[in-house]
Amino acid sequence: MPHSNDHVDRRLKRLDQMRKPLVTRSIVLLVGFCLFLVGLHGWSLWTARQHQIEQTGVNTANMARALASQAESSIKLGDAALVEIVERYQHDGLEGEAGVRLNARLYQIVDHTPELQEAFVYGPDGARLASSLSKLYPGNNADRDYFIYHKSHTDLGLRVGKPIRSRSSGVLAIPLSRRINLPDGSFGGVAMASLRLQFFGRFYDRFEVGHTGTIILALDDGTLLYRRPFKVSMVGTDIGDGPVFQLYRRNGPVGTAMLTSNIDHIERMYSYRHLDGFPLLVASAQSRHEILAGWEVTVIKMSCVVIFAVAVLAWGGRRMIIQIQVREALDGELRNARASLELHNISLRALADSDGLTGLGNRRLFEEALEREVGRARRSGLPFALILTDVDFFKKYNDRYGHVAGDACLRQVALAIASGARRPADLAARYGGEEFALILPDTDLEGAMAVAELIREAVAELQLEHADSPNGLVTLSLGVVAGYPAQEAEQASSAWVEAADTALYDAKASGRDRAVGRNGSERMAA
């Protein structure tokens, strides 16, 4: 009958393995195809998104290049006017007709250059000497930053200053200035021409950056000259700690990145460019929301199509799988019942192998393990060790404290003995009554004695009171035998128990509470 049952089990298992993959593979195929559709859709959308962002980066970079070119051209026009003004002033002076001609020329330059707001010449004391206005009004600009700078610095190059409001017209402008030297090289005054901020605003309004896009013109120290959308209150503010300038300091004169503004907290794709030869930075940006608005609409439409396709596929696949599963329902219940029965049998076997009081292995499990491990050591040539131990004066302990206390004592001692079985192959078992055994494969006498000593100390540390013991505490006596079964005459495994029991007797005869070890071959030969 067992042979017949095994045959039936193998046949059912084989048929089960032949049938199970049909459901599994159907599910894997269905899920895999759905994931493929979703992955392909996601990859397509991600690629389109990246392309949109990259294309916007190219557009904003081109826009920044155009803005930088325009700003550079405007500054060069203003600087050319300053160079001419300084040369006329130094060559012709301002006396008589020369002064009249210089004022007329200033007026002509500003009138024919839409970028320029005003032009002036100031003397070494800051007094106005020449003007692009229709009439020379008296005035003094010795307190202006650009005048103070040129008075204290000898370089003759162009200086682009922070924005100012004209004292003549009240218009916001960007001052361009040059130092004028007297023939002896001393300070002779300042020539200044201002660029209209409104001119930059009108030019920037031609560019399409969306409703929440922005264009920035600033000095490279972070002073804001112009920002679209324009707010007068922001002119001259410091944006040096903003994301654009942080990127500029890290990456150099040109860069593009997705950044979040400190001003309005809108995430945008920024492209900036530093002007060649001038301390200015321009940047253009489009908001991330507007960049991806069209893409997001596409995502919604395409995702609806893909979701519908996946739903139809999942519905059809589910019905097919249900049909397969219905046929297997009874077989599945049977397999579950068999599995439950096997688990129950495993639990019963575990209980059959365990000692009910201590939870250690029982006598039957010990004898099976002893036979197995001695045979393995004989085949492998490795050492083998066995420890046999019992509780000293345990009968007296039971007589004094009662069997309930005795059982509790044995449980605590068992825990200490179990601590010696640290490897998977080690086995701690209750041999009978107050006797315990510990099997230690691949362990020589020195190692086994060390384990025995650890167990003895562990029991001693429990500090269990035993009034009828010489030292007043529960103690153990241990007999240890170790050797190489492969090197000895083949004997029954019980010979090892006899040898360990003899060593245990020696431990008791020597005064108890100690471990006595013997070489296996010598002890069993005796």
Side-chain angles (χ1 to χ4, degrees):
M1 281 298 285
H3 176 74
S4 177
N5 288 338
D6 290 344
H7 177 72
V8 171
D9 288 344
R10 287 196 298 271
R11 185 170 179 274
L12 288 174
K13 188 174 294 185
R14 184 170 63 255
L15 291 175
D16 185 50
Q17 289 172 348
M18 291 173 64
R19 186 169 46 207
K20 255 187 173 179
L22 179 60
V23 176
T24 303
R25 289 171 186 171
S26 298
I27 294 173
V28 169
L29 182 62
L30 179 64
V31 173
F33 191 70
C34 291
L35 291 176
F36 173 74
L37 283 180
V38 173
L40 184 63
H41 173 62
W43 176 81
S44 176
L45 292 178
W46 177 258
T47 302
R49 180 183 184 276
Q50 292 302 104
H51 175 75
Q52 184 67 33
I53 291 175
E54 290 171 5
Q55 187 60 46
T56 303
V58 172
N59 293 340
T60 55
N62 289 337
M63 192 181 300
R65 186 181 296 108
L67 295 172
S69 177
Q70 180 270 340
E72 188 175 336
S73 175
S74 298
I75 293 174
K76 285 181 177 178
L77 283 173
D79 189 35
L82 289 177
V83 170
E84 180 183 348
I85 292 169
V86 171
E87 184 180 354
R88 280 176 175 268
Y89 175 72
Q90 290 179 331
H91 186 271
D92 299 333
L94 291 174
E95 298 297 329
E97 285 297 320
V100 174
R101 286 196 301 272
L102 181 58
N103 278 280
R105 179 56 182 156
L106 292 179
Y107 178 85
Q108 184 184 33
I109 289 172
V110 172
D111 187 55
H112 288 80
T113 310
E115 292 93 335
L116 294 181
Q117 171 66 29
E118 297 168 332
F120 299 98
V121 175
Y122 298 100
D125 59 352
R128 190 177 294 166
L129 303 180
S131 169
S132 62
L133 304 177
S134 57
K135 180 180 178 182
L136 180 61
Y137 295 97
N140 190 293
N141 275 25
D143 59 335
R144 292 288 200 190
D145 288 343
Y146 62 83
F147 189 91
I148 296 171
Y149 176 85
H150 287 302
K151 189 174 182 179
S152 60
H153 293 75
T154 59
D155 61 278
L156 301 178
L158 174 71
R159 184 176 189 272
V160 182
K162 296 183 178 182
I164 60 172
R165 189 175 292 279
S166 171
R167 289 171 177 168
S168 302
S169 61
V171 175
L172 281 171
I174 303 170
L176 307 178
S177 57
R178 279 181 174 269
R179 174 186 169 108
I180 301 173
N181 277 351
L182 296 176
D184 62 358
S186 61
F187 179 62
V190 175
M192 189 276 289
S194 59
L195 298 175
R196 298 178 182 177
L197 280 182
Q198 290 180 351
F199 173 82
F200 289 97
R202 287 194 298 271
F203 180 76
Y204 293 162
D205 286 340
R206 300 174 189 172
F207 292 87
E208 178 56 45
V209 293
H211 296 294
T212 53
T214 187
I215 295 176
I216 294 171
L217 175 67
L219 295 173
D220 58 11
D221 65 356
T223 302
L224 182 64
L225 303 178
Y226 185 90
R227 181 182 184 273
R228 174 182 169 184
F230 182 70
K231 287 184 180 179
V232 175
S233 60
M234 294 193 64
V235 176
T237 58
D238 185 8
I239 60 170
D241 60 346
V244 175
F245 274 86
Q246 291 179 14
L247 184 64
Y248 159 64
R249 295 185 188 105
R250 289 196 306 269
N251 294 359
V254 179
T256 298
M258 192 72 77
L259 306 169
T260 300
S261 170
N262 288 351
I263 297 173
D264 52 21
H265 306 293
I266 295 176
E267 188 178 14
R268 298 182 177 92
M269 173 66 75
Y270 283 88
S271 288
Y272 71 87
R273 181 174 288 269
H274 190 275
L275 273 64
D276 293 335
F278 300 110
L280 288 173
L281 191 80
V282 294
S284 65
Q286 287 184 256
S287 72
R288 180 182 180 276
H289 174 72
E290 291 184 341
I291 292 171
L292 298 177
W295 175 80
E296 289 170 352
V297 173
T298 302
V299 169
I300 294 172
K301 292 179 179 178
M302 293 302 297
S303 295
C304 288
V305 173
V306 172
I307 289 172
F308 177 76
V310 170
V312 170
L313 185 62
W315 177 80
R318 180 174 177 274
R319 289 187 63 84
M320 179 187 70
I321 292 169
I322 287 174
Q323 292 300 316
I324 298 172
Q325 289 175 330
V326 165
R327 299 176 194 176
E328 298 183 344
L330 292 176
D331 289 343
E333 290 181 8
L334 177 60
R335 288 193 297 271
N336 291 336
R338 288 171 61 86
S340 177
L341 182 59
E342 288 178 2
L343 288 175
H344 183 64
N345 289 338
I346 291 172
S347 298
L348 290 177
R349 283 197 297 270
L351 289 174
D353 290 339
S354 299
D355 175 62
L357 176 64
T358 63
L360 300 182
N362 59 18
R363 176 75 172 265
R364 187 182 63 82
L365 180 63
F366 165 77
E367 290 175 348
E368 290 177 357
L370 179 65
E371 185 75 25
R372 182 177 62 252
E373 295 301 333
V374 169
R376 181 178 293 133
R378 186 174 289 117
R379 292 190 300 273
S380 65
L382 295 173
F384 173 81
L386 175 65
I387 300 175
L388 202 63
T389 177
D390 69 2
V391 180
D392 294 330
F393 304 109
F394 187 70
K395 184 178 183 304
K396 293 182 179 181
Y397 187 94
N398 268 343
D399 292 343
R400 175 177 288 272
Y401 298 103
H403 289 286
V404 174
D407 289 348
C409 173
L410 289 179
R411 281 193 289 268
Q412 293 186 69
V413 170
L415 289 175
I417 293 171
S419 67
R422 299 183 178 182
R423 300 171 302 175
D426 296 346
L427 175 67
R430 186 181 181 190
Y431 192 72
E434 71 274 21
E435 287 188 301
F436 297 89
L438 185 61
I439 295 175
L440 299 173
D442 192 16
T443 306
D444 58 14
L445 183 59
E446 182 180 356
M449 286 296 293
V451 172
E453 188 61 28
L454 286 174
I455 293 173
R456 189 193 65 78
E457 291 177 356
V459 171
E461 288 174 0
L462 294 175
Q463 295 290 300
L464 299 175
E465 181 183 353
H466 189 350
D468 295 316
S469 177
N471 54 11
L473 297 173
V474 172
T475 58
L476 289 184
S477 295
L478 303 99
V480 182
V481 61
Y484 291 82
Q487 300 174 8
E488 299 164 2
E490 188 168 343
Q491 301 181 63
S493 57
S494 59
W496 289 85
V497 176
E498 294 173 3
D501 191 53
T502 302
L504 175 60
Y505 177 81
D506 291 345
K508 291 181 177 182
S510 301
R512 290 186 170 83
D513 189 19
R514 69 194 62 209
V516 172
R518 296 290 184 267
N519 182 280
S521 59
E522 293 176 358
R523 188 44 121 170
M524 285 186 284

